[in-house]
Amino acid sequence: MEINIQNVSMTYPSGKQALQNLSLELRSPSLIGLLGPNGAGKSTLMKLLVAALLPTSGSILVDGQPLLKTERQLKAQLGYLPQDFGLFNELTVAQFLDYMAALKGLRDSGTAVREVIRTVNLEGQARARIRSLSGGQRQRVGIAQALLGAPPLLILDEPTVGLDPEERIHFRNLFSRTAQDRLVLLSTHIIEDVQSVCDRLVVIDHGQILFTGTPEQLIQAAEGHVGVFWEREAGQEQGLHITARVNTSQGVRCRAVADALPAYVQRSEPSLEDAYLYLISREAVQ
Ligand SMILES: Nc1ncnc2c1ncn2[C@@H]1O[C@H](COP(=O)(O)OP(=O)(O)OP(=O)(O)O)[C@@H](O)[C@H]1O
């Protein structure tokens, strides 16, 4: 599957321009991490990809065909986890998933439902009413409905929200396995979620793409722009963006990113998080 987003802009009726002339190509198999600060336009982009919203201008092609022409076909191949999804509180987990399987037109829905319940570790809650679940368990029900029927395209808006660290690792690995033969696009604020598993990152801010490439390429772009220093050594330099402050027995150790690091800052190898913060901080300065 190949999705071509061509010069897409999206302005909400309120007048807010959420995406500006954005172009992007997504091809399976791959696991693509969509990163960006709050309000960057990630959810809007995902809603356009599932045809829940129409772009104000530009086009989206799926395997060369306009999305709107193939919408029906696409929806049959799509697993989507929106950011806020309504669950049917009075249904049990299994009933809700049965209902979603019916909507997707799955043939052997019983087997498919049992399988996704196992995949998201909710066997113990299959008969529990959704209203009685914790936030993390509800999120797993959302992931389960997206996985139903093994769709070739998975669009997951902040799938790891509300999950504990152990569960996050479980799902990170699950998405990575899933993407071996499919196209998985997931949005997140959490760098660790994309660190070791995504083969491609797309960073957006203010509705525009700031970066697209591998995590290694993002890190390379930050080399020479990350360093550490003791707070007491700090000058008053402008343009230094502090990313961490740690209290130690010798004082406060700071980590910072900047276009040009002052002499008292000791250069350090960038992590993916440093590289992301460097990219975003440059955007903020411009
Ligand atoms: N229905 C809407 N009407 C008007 N403006 C909207 C609507 N939905 C989103 N926006 C605005 O569009 C911009 C992009 O929002 P979007 O939800 O796509 O960002 P996001 O990157 O997903 O943010 P977050 O990480 O906080 O979920 C924001 O400024 C937001 O306030």
Side-chain angles (χ1 to χ4, degrees):
M1 176 177 286
E2 193 177 309
I3 301 179
N4 276 291
I5 302 164
Q6 297 175 337
N7 308 107
V8 161
S9 294
M10 173 65 204
T11 303
Y12 284 103
S14 65
K16 172 74 202 174
Q17 184 166 29
L19 297 177
Q20 299 179 45
N21 204 25
L22 187 142
S23 296
L24 186 64
E25 212 171 274
L26 311 171
R27 195 173 296 145
S28 65
S30 58
L31 177 51
I32 301 168
L34 182 60
L35 288 169
N38 284 132
K42 303 178 297 293
S43 298
T44 303
L45 177 59
M46 291 185 147
K47 285 178 193 163
L48 291 172
L49 286 174
V50 302
L53 281 178
L54 290 179
T56 319
S57 62
S59 54
I60 300 177
L61 304 179
V62 179
D63 292 330
Q65 295 294 315
L67 174 63
L68 285 185
K69 268 198 188 160
T70 50
E71 188 186 336
R72 225 182 219 194
Q73 204 181 331
L74 179 75
K75 284 196 171 156
Q77 303 186 340
L78 172 73
Y80 174 45
L81 174 71
Q83 207 169 20
D84 308 299
F85 61 101
L87 291 176
F88 295 76
N89 275 330
E90 296 311 315
L91 297 184
T92 66
V93 170
Q95 283 168 339
F96 170 70
L97 292 171
D98 269 333
Y99 172 67
M100 294 304 288
L103 286 184
K104 288 189 176 195
L106 297 186
R107 275 204 208 105
D108 190 1
S109 62
T111 309
V113 167
R114 276 193 297 279
E115 207 175 288
V116 291
I117 286 179
R118 197 172 52 243
T119 307
V120 302
N121 287 340
L122 277 178
E123 285 140 307
Q125 286 76 29
R127 286 160 188 269
R129 283 190 203 283
I130 288 180
R131 126 168 86 76
S132 69
L133 300 181
S134 71
Q137 288 169 339
R138 291 165 80 95
Q139 186 69 353
R140 283 188 268 155
V141 176
I143 296 171
Q145 64 77 29
L147 292 171
L148 266 174
L153 173 63
L154 270 170
I155 297 196
L156 307 168
D157 202 347
E158 304 209 21
T160 57
V161 163
L163 301 181
D164 64 33
E166 201 183 327
E167 285 293 342
R168 277 196 6 232
I169 294 169
H170 169 79
F171 281 99
R172 217 181 286 162
N173 293 332
L174 172 69
F175 300 145
S176 170
R177 280 199 307 278
T178 306
Q180 277 168 9
D181 56 356
R182 295 186 247 175
L183 179 55
V184 182
L185 177 68
L186 65 87
S187 76
T188 182
H189 296 110
I190 307 165
I191 306 292
E192 283 162 49
D193 281 348
V194 296
Q195 178 110 43
S196 47
V197 292
C198 287
D199 16 50
R200 191 166 157 216
L201 300 180
V202 176
V203 182
I204 63 173
D205 198 9
H206 299 113
Q208 291 179 310
I209 293 183
L210 299 187
F211 170 86
T212 164
T214 62
E216 293 72 26
Q217 286 167 335
L218 184 59
I219 290 174
Q220 273 164 20
E223 267 163 20
H225 299 287
V226 180
V228 289
F229 60 96
W230 295 108
E231 197 171 51
R232 60 176 177 272
E233 299 169 343
Q236 293 299 314
E237 272 80 3
Q238 295 284 313
L240 200 60
H241 182 79
I242 310 286
T243 57
R245 258 195 181 85
V246 181
N247 286 313
T248 75
S249 55
Q250 287 130 8
V252 180
R253 192 72 167 151
C254 299
R255 193 168 180 88
V257 295
D259 267 339
L261 293 172
Y264 62 81
V265 176
Q266 188 191 332
R267 306 295 184 274
S268 176
E269 280 296 308
S271 65
L272 188 61
E273 181 151 19
D274 293 326
Y276 168 73
L277 292 172
Y278 174 57
L279 185 73
I280 297 291
S281 70
R282 293 191 76 198
E283 169 73 0
V285 168
Q286 279 162 16

